[in-house]
Amino acid sequence: MNAPATTELPVVVIGAGPAGLAAAAHLVDRGIEPLVLEAGPTAGAAVREWSHVRLFSTWAEVVDPAAEKLLAPTSWTRPDPATYPSGGDWTEQYLQPLADALDDRVRTGARVTGVSRAGRDRILDADRDTQPFVVHVAHTDSREERVFARAVIDASGTWTTPSPAGGSGLPALGEKAAADRITYRVPDLKDPAVRARYAGRRTAVIGSGASAFTALAHLADLAKSDDGKGTKAVWILRRGISGSTFGGGEADQLPARGALGLAAKAAVDEGHAEAVTGFRTEAVERDGDGRLVLAGGDGRRLEPMDEVIVLTGYRPDLSFLSEIRLNLDERLQAPVELAPLIDPNQHSCGTVHPHGHRELSHPEQGVYLVGMKSYGRAPTFLAMTGYEQVRSVAAAIAGDLDTADRVELTLPETGVCGGAGLFDAPDAAQGGEDGGCCGAPATLQIGIGAPAASGGC
Protein backbone atom coordinates (compact mmCIF):
# COMPACT_ATOMS: atom_id res chain seq x y z
CA MET A 1 0.00 0.00 0.00
CA ASN A 2 1.46 3.37 -1.02
CA ALA A 3 1.41 6.17 1.56
CA PRO A 4 -0.61 9.28 0.63
CA ALA A 5 0.99 12.69 0.12
CA THR A 6 2.17 14.13 3.43
CA THR A 7 0.28 17.42 3.06
CA GLU A 8 -3.03 15.55 2.88
CA LEU A 9 -2.49 13.84 6.22
CA PRO A 10 -3.53 14.72 9.76
CA VAL A 11 -1.21 15.32 12.67
CA VAL A 12 -1.46 12.35 15.01
CA VAL A 13 -1.63 13.34 18.68
CA ILE A 14 -0.99 10.50 21.11
CA GLY A 15 -3.03 10.91 24.27
CA ALA A 16 -6.28 12.73 25.03
CA GLY A 17 -5.09 14.30 28.27
CA PRO A 18 -4.67 18.03 28.97
CA ALA A 19 -1.65 18.53 26.68
CA GLY A 20 -2.93 16.29 23.89
CA LEU A 21 -6.36 17.90 23.69
CA ALA A 22 -4.80 21.37 23.85
CA ALA A 23 -2.48 20.41 21.00
CA ALA A 24 -5.50 19.34 18.94
CA ALA A 25 -7.26 22.64 19.70
CA HIS A 26 -4.22 24.64 18.55
CA LEU A 27 -3.98 22.60 15.35
CA VAL A 28 -7.66 23.13 14.59
CA ASP A 29 -7.19 26.86 15.20
CA ARG A 30 -4.55 26.80 12.46
CA GLY A 31 -6.65 24.83 10.00
CA ILE A 32 -4.70 21.59 10.48
CA GLU A 33 -6.60 18.37 11.11
CA PRO A 34 -5.55 16.47 14.26
CA LEU A 35 -6.26 12.84 15.01
CA VAL A 36 -6.08 12.18 18.75
CA LEU A 37 -5.48 8.55 19.73
CA GLU A 38 -6.26 7.72 23.35
CA ALA A 39 -5.53 4.31 24.84
CA GLY A 40 -8.09 4.71 27.62
CA PRO A 41 -11.86 4.39 27.33
CA THR A 42 -12.47 8.14 27.69
CA ALA A 43 -10.72 11.45 27.24
CA GLY A 44 -8.61 12.32 30.26
CA ALA A 45 -8.47 8.65 31.28
CA ALA A 46 -5.30 9.09 33.34
CA VAL A 47 -6.61 12.19 35.12
CA ARG A 48 -9.79 10.30 36.01
CA GLU A 49 -7.65 7.83 37.96
CA TRP A 50 -6.72 10.60 40.39
CA SER A 51 -10.09 12.32 40.29
CA HIS A 52 -10.13 12.55 44.11
CA VAL A 53 -6.95 14.68 44.20
CA ARG A 54 -7.22 18.46 44.10
CA LEU A 55 -4.84 20.45 41.91
CA PHE A 56 -2.82 23.28 43.39
CA SER A 57 -3.28 25.27 40.17
CA THR A 58 -6.47 27.28 39.75
CA TRP A 59 -8.90 26.94 36.86
CA ALA A 60 -7.29 30.03 35.31
CA GLU A 61 -4.05 28.08 34.98
CA VAL A 62 -5.39 24.77 33.66
CA VAL A 63 -7.61 25.91 30.76
CA ASP A 64 -5.76 26.37 27.48
CA PRO A 65 -6.63 29.55 25.49
CA ALA A 66 -7.09 27.76 22.15
CA ALA A 67 -9.24 25.13 23.85
CA GLU A 68 -11.38 27.84 25.42
CA LYS A 69 -11.82 29.41 21.97
CA LEU A 70 -12.98 26.06 20.61
CA LEU A 71 -15.40 25.60 23.50
CA ALA A 72 -16.88 29.10 23.31
CA PRO A 73 -19.56 28.32 20.66
CA THR A 74 -20.77 25.30 22.65
CA SER A 75 -22.84 25.18 25.81
CA TRP A 76 -19.67 25.03 27.92
CA THR A 77 -19.61 27.19 31.03
CA ARG A 78 -16.21 28.41 32.13
CA PRO A 79 -15.52 27.48 35.78
CA ASP A 80 -14.65 30.17 38.29
CA PRO A 81 -11.02 30.95 37.38
CA ALA A 82 -9.99 31.54 41.00
CA THR A 83 -11.07 28.13 42.33
CA TYR A 84 -9.12 24.88 42.49
CA PRO A 85 -10.46 21.89 40.55
CA SER A 86 -10.02 18.27 41.52
CA GLY A 87 -8.94 15.77 38.90
CA GLY A 88 -12.59 14.81 38.55
CA ASP A 89 -13.61 18.42 38.05
CA TRP A 90 -10.92 18.89 35.42
CA THR A 91 -12.13 15.93 33.39
CA GLU A 92 -15.86 16.52 33.68
CA GLN A 93 -15.91 20.30 33.34
CA TYR A 94 -13.11 20.79 30.80
CA LEU A 95 -11.38 17.77 29.27
CA GLN A 96 -14.52 15.84 28.32
CA PRO A 97 -16.32 18.91 26.88
CA LEU A 98 -13.17 19.70 24.90
CA ALA A 99 -13.03 16.16 23.52
CA ASP A 100 -16.72 16.43 22.64
CA ALA A 101 -16.03 19.68 20.77
CA LEU A 102 -13.26 17.96 18.82
CA ASP A 103 -15.82 15.24 18.00
CA ASP A 104 -14.53 12.39 15.81
CA ARG A 105 -11.03 13.83 15.79
CA VAL A 106 -10.65 11.99 19.14
CA ARG A 107 -10.64 8.20 19.16
CA THR A 108 -10.64 6.35 22.47
CA GLY A 109 -9.67 2.74 23.10
CA ALA A 110 -6.91 3.24 20.54
CA ARG A 111 -3.47 2.36 21.88
CA VAL A 112 -0.45 3.39 19.80
CA THR A 113 1.93 0.42 19.58
CA GLY A 114 4.51 1.81 17.18
CA VAL A 115 5.60 4.90 15.24
CA SER A 116 7.97 4.95 12.27
CA ARG A 117 8.50 6.44 8.81
CA ALA A 118 6.56 4.75 6.05
CA GLY A 119 8.85 2.14 4.51
CA ARG A 120 11.80 3.22 6.67
CA ASP A 121 13.10 1.69 9.89
CA ARG A 122 15.34 3.81 12.10
CA ILE A 123 18.46 2.72 10.15
CA LEU A 124 17.52 3.77 6.62
CA ASP A 125 18.42 7.32 5.52
CA ALA A 126 17.25 7.43 1.89
CA ASP A 127 14.40 9.95 1.38
CA ARG A 128 13.56 9.59 5.06
CA ASP A 129 12.34 13.15 5.67
CA THR A 130 9.99 13.03 2.67
CA GLN A 131 8.09 10.00 3.93
CA PRO A 132 4.99 10.35 6.10
CA PHE A 133 4.88 8.81 9.53
CA VAL A 134 3.13 5.49 9.99
CA VAL A 135 1.42 4.87 13.31
CA HIS A 136 0.29 1.40 14.37
CA VAL A 137 -2.80 1.32 16.56
CA ALA A 138 -4.35 -1.52 18.59
CA HIS A 139 -8.07 -1.13 19.35
CA THR A 140 -9.91 -2.63 22.30
CA ASP A 141 -11.84 -4.95 19.94
CA SER A 142 -8.48 -6.56 18.95
CA ARG A 143 -8.51 -4.79 15.60
CA GLU A 144 -5.20 -3.36 14.39
CA GLU A 145 -4.89 -0.29 12.22
CA ARG A 146 -2.20 1.64 10.38
CA VAL A 147 -2.54 5.43 10.30
CA PHE A 148 -0.42 7.83 8.23
CA ALA A 149 0.49 11.25 9.59
CA ARG A 150 2.32 14.41 8.55
CA ALA A 151 3.64 14.87 12.10
CA VAL A 152 3.36 13.15 15.46
CA ILE A 153 2.85 14.86 18.83
CA ASP A 154 3.36 12.43 21.69
CA ALA A 155 1.38 13.69 24.69
CA SER A 156 0.89 10.25 26.23
CA GLY A 157 2.27 11.31 29.60
CA THR A 158 3.95 9.08 32.17
CA TRP A 159 1.04 7.99 34.37
CA THR A 160 1.22 4.31 33.39
CA THR A 161 4.93 3.98 34.20
CA PRO A 162 5.51 4.96 37.84
CA SER A 163 8.99 4.65 39.29
CA PRO A 164 9.60 1.83 41.77
CA ALA A 165 10.38 1.86 45.48
CA GLY A 166 13.91 0.61 44.89
CA GLY A 167 16.53 3.24 45.65
CA SER A 168 18.62 2.31 42.58
CA GLY A 169 15.87 3.00 40.05
CA LEU A 170 15.10 -0.71 39.80
CA PRO A 171 12.32 -2.46 41.70
CA ALA A 172 13.51 -3.50 45.14
CA LEU A 173 14.03 -7.22 45.62
CA GLY A 174 10.62 -8.65 46.48
CA GLU A 175 8.76 -5.48 45.43
CA LYS A 176 6.82 -7.14 42.63
CA ALA A 177 5.92 -10.12 44.82
CA ALA A 178 4.48 -7.73 47.42
CA ALA A 179 2.15 -6.05 44.93
CA ASP A 180 -0.92 -6.91 47.01
CA ARG A 181 0.19 -4.43 49.70
CA ILE A 182 1.81 -1.77 47.49
CA THR A 183 0.19 1.04 45.51
CA TYR A 184 1.85 3.63 43.30
CA ARG A 185 -1.00 6.13 43.51
CA VAL A 186 -2.39 8.49 46.14
CA PRO A 187 -5.21 6.39 47.63
CA ASP A 188 -8.75 7.75 47.65
CA LEU A 189 -9.55 7.63 51.34
CA LYS A 190 -13.12 8.77 50.71
CA ASP A 191 -13.82 5.40 49.11
CA PRO A 192 -15.05 3.16 51.99
CA ALA A 193 -13.16 0.09 50.76
CA VAL A 194 -9.92 2.02 50.32
CA ARG A 195 -10.41 3.79 53.64
CA ALA A 196 -10.80 0.46 55.44
CA ARG A 197 -7.53 -0.72 53.91
CA TYR A 198 -5.55 2.06 55.61
CA ALA A 199 -7.58 2.87 58.74
CA GLY A 200 -5.78 1.86 61.91
CA ARG A 201 -2.85 0.55 59.88
CA ARG A 202 0.83 1.39 59.65
CA THR A 203 1.57 2.70 56.15
CA ALA A 204 4.90 3.61 54.57
CA VAL A 205 4.88 6.58 52.19
CA ILE A 206 7.98 6.56 49.97
CA GLY A 207 8.68 9.83 48.13
CA SER A 208 9.34 13.50 48.70
CA GLY A 209 7.16 15.38 46.21
CA ALA A 210 3.67 16.80 46.05
CA SER A 211 2.03 13.38 45.77
CA ALA A 212 3.78 12.21 48.94
CA PHE A 213 2.67 15.41 50.70
CA THR A 214 -0.89 14.66 49.62
CA ALA A 215 -0.78 11.09 50.90
CA LEU A 216 0.67 12.18 54.25
CA ALA A 217 -1.97 14.87 54.69
CA HIS A 218 -4.79 12.45 53.83
CA LEU A 219 -3.46 9.80 56.21
CA ALA A 220 -3.20 12.43 58.97
CA ASP A 221 -6.84 13.36 58.37
CA LEU A 222 -7.75 9.67 58.62
CA ALA A 223 -5.79 9.32 61.88
CA LYS A 224 -7.80 12.17 63.43
CA SER A 225 -11.18 10.75 62.37
CA ASP A 226 -13.41 8.52 64.46
CA ASP A 227 -12.90 5.50 62.22
CA GLY A 228 -9.16 6.00 61.77
CA LYS A 229 -7.78 5.68 65.29
CA GLY A 230 -4.33 4.11 65.27
CA THR A 231 -3.55 5.11 61.70
CA LYS A 232 0.17 5.82 61.38
CA ALA A 233 2.25 6.96 58.43
CA VAL A 234 5.97 6.34 58.10
CA TRP A 235 7.45 8.83 55.65
CA ILE A 236 10.52 7.37 53.97
CA LEU A 237 12.95 9.86 52.46
CA ARG A 238 16.07 9.03 50.51
CA ARG A 239 17.58 12.31 51.70
CA GLY A 240 17.58 14.21 54.97
CA ILE A 241 15.07 16.82 56.07
CA SER A 242 16.20 20.33 55.14
CA GLY A 243 14.69 23.76 54.68
CA SER A 244 13.51 22.72 51.20
CA THR A 245 11.90 19.41 52.16
CA PHE A 246 8.38 20.79 52.59
CA GLY A 247 8.54 23.20 49.63
CA GLY A 248 8.34 26.96 49.80
CA GLY A 249 5.48 27.34 52.28
CA GLU A 250 4.09 30.86 52.33
CA ALA A 251 6.78 31.98 49.85
CA ASP A 252 5.26 29.80 47.12
CA GLN A 253 3.43 31.87 44.50
CA LEU A 254 0.95 29.01 44.15
CA PRO A 255 -0.58 29.23 47.65
CA ALA A 256 -2.20 25.80 47.51
CA ARG A 257 1.11 24.20 46.56
CA GLY A 258 2.81 25.87 49.52
CA ALA A 259 -0.01 24.85 51.84
CA LEU A 260 0.32 21.25 50.71
CA GLY A 261 3.92 21.07 51.90
CA LEU A 262 2.96 22.70 55.16
CA ALA A 263 0.21 20.14 55.65
CA ALA A 264 2.79 17.38 55.30
CA LYS A 265 4.98 19.17 57.84
CA ALA A 266 2.04 19.36 60.25
CA ALA A 267 1.47 15.60 59.84
CA VAL A 268 5.02 15.04 61.06
CA ASP A 269 4.96 17.72 63.77
CA GLU A 270 1.67 16.43 65.20
CA GLY A 271 2.91 12.85 65.36
CA HIS A 272 0.68 11.36 62.67
CA ALA A 273 3.70 10.62 60.49
CA GLU A 274 7.18 9.49 61.46
CA ALA A 275 10.04 10.51 59.15
CA VAL A 276 12.79 8.02 58.28
CA THR A 277 15.60 9.82 56.47
CA GLY A 278 18.51 8.70 54.32
CA PHE A 279 16.78 5.39 53.60
CA ARG A 280 17.08 3.76 50.19
CA THR A 281 14.92 0.66 49.86
CA GLU A 282 16.81 -2.38 48.57
CA ALA A 283 14.43 -5.20 49.49
CA VAL A 284 10.81 -5.79 50.49
CA GLU A 285 10.34 -8.85 52.68
CA ARG A 286 7.39 -10.37 54.55
CA ASP A 287 7.19 -11.17 58.21
CA GLY A 288 5.29 -14.14 59.64
CA ASP A 289 1.99 -12.20 59.47
CA GLY A 290 2.44 -11.23 55.83
CA ARG A 291 3.30 -7.58 56.66
CA LEU A 292 6.08 -5.89 54.72
CA VAL A 293 9.54 -5.23 56.08
CA LEU A 294 11.58 -2.67 54.16
CA ALA A 295 15.33 -3.28 54.12
CA GLY A 296 17.71 -0.45 53.28
CA GLY A 297 21.06 -0.49 51.55
CA ASP A 298 22.72 0.58 54.80
CA GLY A 299 21.55 -2.53 56.66
CA ARG A 300 18.57 -0.95 58.40
CA ARG A 301 15.32 -2.89 58.55
CA LEU A 302 12.15 -0.98 59.38
CA GLU A 303 9.36 -2.24 61.58
CA PRO A 304 6.68 -4.14 59.60
CA MET A 305 4.24 -2.13 57.46
CA ASP A 306 0.66 -3.05 56.67
CA GLU A 307 0.70 -1.04 53.44
CA VAL A 308 3.23 0.81 51.28
CA ILE A 309 2.48 3.83 49.08
CA VAL A 310 5.25 4.42 46.54
CA LEU A 311 5.30 7.96 45.12
CA THR A 312 8.79 8.26 43.70
CA GLY A 313 7.92 9.86 40.38
CA TYR A 314 7.29 8.62 36.86
CA ARG A 315 9.29 7.78 33.77
CA PRO A 316 8.40 7.86 30.06
CA ASP A 317 7.39 4.80 28.05
CA LEU A 318 9.59 5.02 24.95
CA SER A 319 8.96 1.48 23.71
CA PHE A 320 6.59 2.40 20.87
CA LEU A 321 9.04 5.03 19.60
CA SER A 322 11.89 2.57 19.07
CA GLU A 323 11.94 3.13 15.27
CA ILE A 324 12.05 6.92 15.62
CA ARG A 325 15.31 8.86 15.88
CA LEU A 326 15.09 10.70 19.18
CA ASN A 327 17.74 12.82 20.87
CA LEU A 328 17.18 12.30 24.59
CA ASP A 329 19.24 13.31 27.59
CA GLU A 330 20.98 10.24 29.00
CA ARG A 331 19.86 11.03 32.56
CA LEU A 332 16.39 12.54 32.34
CA GLN A 333 15.18 10.88 29.11
CA ALA A 334 13.91 14.31 28.08
CA PRO A 335 14.75 16.09 24.79
CA VAL A 336 18.43 16.97 25.02
CA GLU A 337 17.89 20.73 24.49
CA LEU A 338 15.19 20.82 27.15
CA ALA A 339 16.99 18.77 29.79
CA PRO A 340 19.27 21.52 31.16
CA LEU A 341 16.24 23.77 31.62
CA ILE A 342 14.33 21.26 33.77
CA ASP A 343 17.15 19.43 35.58
CA PRO A 344 15.74 18.77 39.08
CA ASN A 345 19.23 19.21 40.51
CA GLN A 346 18.92 22.88 39.59
CA HIS A 347 15.27 23.72 38.97
CA SER A 348 11.86 23.61 40.57
CA CYS A 349 8.79 23.97 38.36
CA GLY A 350 8.81 27.72 39.04
CA THR A 351 12.33 28.26 37.71
CA VAL A 352 12.01 26.51 34.34
CA HIS A 353 12.83 28.82 31.43
CA PRO A 354 10.27 29.29 28.63
CA HIS A 355 10.70 26.76 25.86
CA GLY A 356 8.97 25.63 22.69
CA HIS A 357 9.35 23.67 19.48
CA ARG A 358 13.12 24.10 19.14
CA GLU A 359 13.87 22.61 22.55
CA LEU A 360 11.35 19.85 21.86
CA SER A 361 12.68 18.90 18.41
CA HIS A 362 14.51 15.69 17.52
CA PRO A 363 16.65 14.45 14.61
CA GLU A 364 13.40 12.92 13.32
CA GLN A 365 11.77 16.07 11.99
CA GLY A 366 8.06 16.31 12.75
CA VAL A 367 8.11 14.35 16.04
CA TYR A 368 7.56 16.13 19.34
CA LEU A 369 7.28 14.88 22.91
CA VAL A 370 5.13 17.33 24.87
CA GLY A 371 3.47 17.63 28.25
CA MET A 372 4.57 15.41 31.12
CA LYS A 373 6.38 13.09 28.72
CA SER A 374 8.64 15.88 27.52
CA TYR A 375 10.08 16.12 31.04
CA GLY A 376 11.17 12.47 31.01
CA ARG A 377 12.01 11.64 34.63
CA ALA A 378 12.04 15.24 35.82
CA PRO A 379 9.20 16.06 38.25
CA THR A 380 7.04 19.12 38.97
CA PHE A 381 5.46 19.77 35.59
CA LEU A 382 2.86 22.53 35.28
CA ALA A 383 -0.14 22.34 32.95
CA MET A 384 0.52 25.85 31.66
CA THR A 385 3.99 24.72 30.57
CA GLY A 386 2.39 22.04 28.41
CA TYR A 387 -0.06 24.51 26.91
CA GLU A 388 2.76 26.82 25.87
CA GLN A 389 4.67 23.85 24.43
CA VAL A 390 1.80 22.76 22.18
CA ARG A 391 1.06 26.32 21.10
CA SER A 392 4.65 26.63 19.85
CA VAL A 393 4.68 23.17 18.27
CA ALA A 394 1.40 23.73 16.41
CA ALA A 395 2.74 27.02 15.03
CA ALA A 396 5.92 25.27 13.89
CA ILE A 397 3.98 22.50 12.14
CA ALA A 398 1.95 25.20 10.39
CA GLY A 399 5.19 26.80 9.20
CA ASP A 400 4.74 29.95 11.29
CA LEU A 401 8.20 29.96 12.85
CA ASP A 402 8.03 33.59 13.95
CA THR A 403 5.10 32.79 16.22
CA ALA A 404 6.54 29.42 17.20
CA ASP A 405 9.76 31.05 18.36
CA ARG A 406 7.96 33.71 20.40
CA VAL A 407 7.74 31.64 23.54
CA GLU A 408 6.63 33.65 26.55
CA LEU A 409 5.67 32.04 29.81
CA THR A 410 5.97 33.23 33.40
CA LEU A 411 5.67 30.45 35.93
CA PRO A 412 4.83 30.93 39.61
CA GLU A 413 7.87 30.55 41.87
CA THR A 414 7.91 27.72 44.39
CA GLY A 415 9.68 29.66 47.09
CA VAL A 416 12.42 27.01 47.00
CA CYS A 417 15.77 28.33 45.80
CA GLY A 418 16.86 25.17 44.02
CA GLY A 419 15.56 21.87 42.77
CA ALA A 420 14.95 18.92 45.06
CA GLY A 421 17.95 17.09 43.69
CA LEU A 422 20.28 19.60 45.31
CA PHE A 423 19.37 18.17 48.69
CA ASP A 424 19.36 14.47 47.83
CA ALA A 425 22.23 13.48 50.11
CA PRO A 426 21.27 11.21 53.02
CA ASP A 427 23.30 13.37 55.42
CA ALA A 428 21.55 16.64 54.53
CA ALA A 429 20.86 18.90 57.47
CA GLN A 430 17.94 17.83 59.64
CA GLY A 431 16.04 21.10 59.55
CA GLY A 432 17.09 24.70 60.12
CA GLU A 433 18.43 27.26 57.72
CA ASP A 434 21.59 25.28 56.96
CA GLY A 435 19.52 22.74 55.02
CA GLY A 436 18.86 25.05 52.09
CA CYS A 437 18.99 28.67 51.10
CA CYS A 438 15.36 29.28 51.78
CA GLY A 439 15.35 28.21 55.43
CA ALA A 440 12.56 26.35 57.18
CA PRO A 441 8.97 26.75 55.96
CA ALA A 442 6.63 28.98 57.87
CA THR A 443 4.12 27.61 60.35
CA LEU A 444 1.00 25.98 58.91
CA GLN A 445 -1.87 28.44 58.79
CA ILE A 446 -4.62 26.21 57.40
CA GLY A 447 -6.08 22.86 58.37
CA ILE A 448 -4.72 19.67 56.88
CA GLY A 449 -8.08 18.97 55.33
CA ALA A 450 -8.08 22.17 53.29
CA PRO A 451 -8.61 21.63 49.55
CA ALA A 452 -4.99 21.89 48.53
CA ALA A 453 -3.58 18.76 47.03
CA SER A 454 -2.00 17.81 43.77
CA GLY A 455 -1.37 15.14 41.24
CA GLY A 456 1.71 17.09 40.17
CA CYS A 457 2.50 20.73 39.71
Side-chain angles (χ1 to χ4, degrees):
M1 176 180 178
N2 294 326
T6 303
T7 54
E8 301 173 1
L9 298 173
V11 173
V12 163
V13 179
I14 306 174
L21 293 174
H26 280 277
L27 291 167
V28 169
D29 193 46
R30 288 186 166 274
I32 299 173
E33 277 300 302
L35 175 59
V36 183
L37 301 174
E38 166 60 46
T42 62
V47 179
R48 291 177 193 274
E49 292 192 30
W50 50 270
S51 60
H52 59 290
V53 177
R54 194 168 297 280
L55 283 75
F56 49 61
S57 295
T58 63
W59 272 112
E61 295 156 335
V62 298
V63 173
D64 176 80
E68 186 170 3
K69 180 179 177 181
L70 189 63
L71 286 164
T74 71
S75 59
W76 180 68
T77 300
R78 192 180 194 276
D80 181 349
T83 59
Y84 296 89
S86 66
D89 297 333
W90 205 12
T91 53
E92 295 304 323
Q93 299 179 45
Y94 170 64
L95 297 178
Q96 189 59 57
L98 179 55
D100 292 342
L102 289 164
D103 199 23
D104 58 3
R105 299 182 179 102
V106 178
R107 298 182 189 174
T108 57
R111 181 179 299 279
V112 172
T113 58
V115 180
S116 187
R117 289 282 189 177
R120 305 289 187 272
D121 61 19
R122 68 179 297 150
I123 298 174
L124 192 59
D125 289 332
D127 299 323
R128 186 176 190 87
D129 290 346
T130 65
Q131 300 302 311
F133 291 96
V134 58
V135 180
H136 283 202
V137 185
H139 296 271
T140 51
D141 60 2
S142 299
R143 178 172 53 91
E144 292 184 303
E145 181 184 9
R146 179 173 57 181
V147 176
F148 293 103
R150 61 186 289 185
V152 175
I153 299 175
D154 183 357
S156 58
T158 56
W159 178 252
T160 60
T161 46
S163 295
S168 301
L170 302 172
L173 299 180
E175 181 174 344
K176 293 181 179 179
D180 60 317
R181 290 179 180 258
I182 299 177
T183 184
Y184 299 85
R185 311 287 188 239
V186 176
D188 182 3
L189 298 183
K190 293 181 180 179
D191 182 314
V194 176
R195 191 175 183 87
R197 176 175 173 175
Y198 294 94
R201 305 293 180 88
R202 179 178 170 87
T203 298
V205 177
I206 305 177
S208 59
S211 294
F213 293 167
T214 302
L216 290 168
H218 287 184
L219 288 170
D221 274 345
L222 178 59
K224 293 188 289 187
S225 67
D226 292 338
D227 63 340
K229 302 299 183 184
T231 301
K232 183 74 173 183
V234 180
W235 186 20
I236 298 176
L237 293 147
R238 294 170 181 171
R239 61 192 188 197
I241 292 181
S242 71
S244 70
T245 297
F246 298 99
E250 293 177 351
D252 196 320
Q253 291 182 9
L254 286 178
R257 179 173 59 190
L260 182 60
L262 295 176
K265 184 176 187 298
V268 174
D269 290 346
E270 295 172 3
H272 301 300
E274 168 194 349
V276 176
T277 60
F279 190 91
R280 295 178 181 272
T281 307
E282 293 297 328
V284 180
E285 304 168 358
R286 289 188 188 265
D287 69 1
D289 297 324
R291 302 171 78 200
L292 303 184
V293 176
L294 305 183
D298 57 3
R300 280 185 288 172
R301 292 166 58 83
L302 304 184
E303 293 183 16
M305 309 288 177
D306 296 295
E307 301 288 341
V308 176
I309 302 172
V310 180
L311 300 168
T312 54
Y314 297 86
R315 51 188 59 179
D317 176 9
L318 301 168
S319 60
F320 60 85
L321 299 175
S322 61
E323 295 305 313
I324 291 295
R325 296 175 178 179
L326 301 177
N327 192 13
L328 299 175
D329 180 76
E330 61 184 11
R331 295 172 305 137
L332 298 183
Q333 295 179 295
V336 70
E337 295 297 326
L338 176 60
L341 306 181
I342 62 174
D343 185 346
N345 290 290
Q346 302 295 331
H347 295 286
S348 68
C349 50
T351 63
V352 173
H353 296 290
H355 59 274
H357 74 107
R358 295 195 185 277
E359 291 82 3
L360 299 169
S361 297
H362 295 277
E364 197 78 70
Q365 296 181 23
V367 170
Y368 302 92
L369 275 58
V370 302
M372 287 285 293
K373 192 163 186 176
S374 72
Y375 269 41
R377 297 194 183 199
T380 59
F381 181 85
L382 286 167
M384 62 183 102
T385 299
Y387 295 159
E388 180 62 11
Q389 287 178 342
V390 299
R391 183 205 62 78
S392 176
V393 166
I397 292 173
D400 184 359
L401 295 185
D402 287 341
T403 300
D405 288 335
R406 232 177 11 252
V407 181
E408 298 178 0
L409 179 63
T410 301
L411 296 174
E413 293 285 355
T414 63
V416 177
C417 303
L422 287 173
F423 313 105
D424 198 30
D427 58 352
Q430 303 297 301
E433 294 186 354
D434 292 338
C437 58
C438 298
T443 304
L444 180 68
Q445 298 294 326
I446 63 171
I448 289 177
S454 167
C457 268

